[in-house]
Amino acid sequence: GGAVVTSQCIGAGRREEACRSARQLVFTEAAITIGISVLVLLFHRQILGLFFGQIEADVMQNAIIYLIISVFSFPLLAVYDSCAALYRSMGNAQITLKISLLMNVINVVGNAIGVTADEVQALLDYGCSEEEIEEMLYDPTLLHEMTGELLYAY
């Protein structure tokens, strides 16, 4: 709703009010999500227990780690969404598209690096030599097949 108010101020030619409205939107979004993030950090076990009930200890530990890491993105995502709405209200949706494209490219590259690192570690744990792994890295299909077989074996 804050971007709608800002759009109305822009449309009416009230630049100062539009700026004030935009500041309030970003500040309010950040403050609310920081508050929610703190609550999630304080009650992460209870929240996960509410969603998943009784789960194995190692699964719960991994869920806690994932949730805690994710919590730090909440305020950043809220500020991004607020700014994206403000840019659209100013008639500049192209900038949000470019930022979204960049974020997705970073995400894909980061996942490729992280998944490959996990696969290499699994192969080392399984007992493959570094030479065998290096050979597999030149053929990603072989790497994925080998780790897929390892996952199936476990």
Side-chain angles (χ1 to χ4, degrees):
V4 173
V5 173
T6 303
S7 293
Q8 289 174 346
C9 293
I10 290 171
R14 298 187 315 255
R15 186 175 172 0
E16 289 299 317
E17 267 186 74
C19 290
R20 190 169 42 110
S21 171
R23 276 193 301 276
Q24 285 177 343
L25 172 64
V26 173
F27 176 77
T28 303
E29 287 284 330
I32 290 171
T33 54
I34 288 170
I36 291 170
S37 297
V38 168
L39 289 174
V40 170
L41 283 173
L42 291 173
F43 301 107
H44 58 272
R45 238 178 236 289
Q46 292 86 348
I47 292 169
L48 289 171
L50 180 68
F51 285 113
F52 301 113
Q54 294 295 335
I55 56 176
E56 295 179 23
D58 60 334
V59 174
M60 178 60 91
Q61 187 60 36
N62 287 329
I64 288 170
I65 291 168
Y66 184 81
L67 182 61
I68 288 173
I69 291 169
S70 297
V71 160
F72 292 104
S73 70
F74 296 173
L76 301 173
L77 288 170
V79 169
Y80 167 77
D81 287 339
S82 297
C83 291
L86 289 170
Y87 274 110
R88 284 192 301 273
S89 70
M90 292 185 292
N92 188 1
Q94 194 174 33
I95 189 75
T96 59
L97 175 67
K98 289 177 182 177
I99 292 170
S100 179
L101 183 64
L102 176 66
M103 289 185 335
N104 283 306
V105 167
I106 291 169
N107 190 22
V108 167
V109 170
N111 284 340
I113 292 168
V115 167
T116 302
D118 286 344
E119 290 174 335
V120 168
Q121 186 59 50
L123 291 169
L124 285 171
D125 292 344
Y126 186 69
C128 292
S129 70
E130 289 183 18
E131 292 81 23
E132 290 172 316
I133 294 172
E134 187 175 325
E135 197 174 301
M136 285 183 227
L137 285 174
Y138 290 111
D139 184 3
T141 306
L142 184 60
L143 177 67
H144 292 299
E145 286 175 6
M146 184 66 176
T147 53
E149 290 174 20
L150 284 174
L151 290 174
Y152 182 73
Y154 287 107

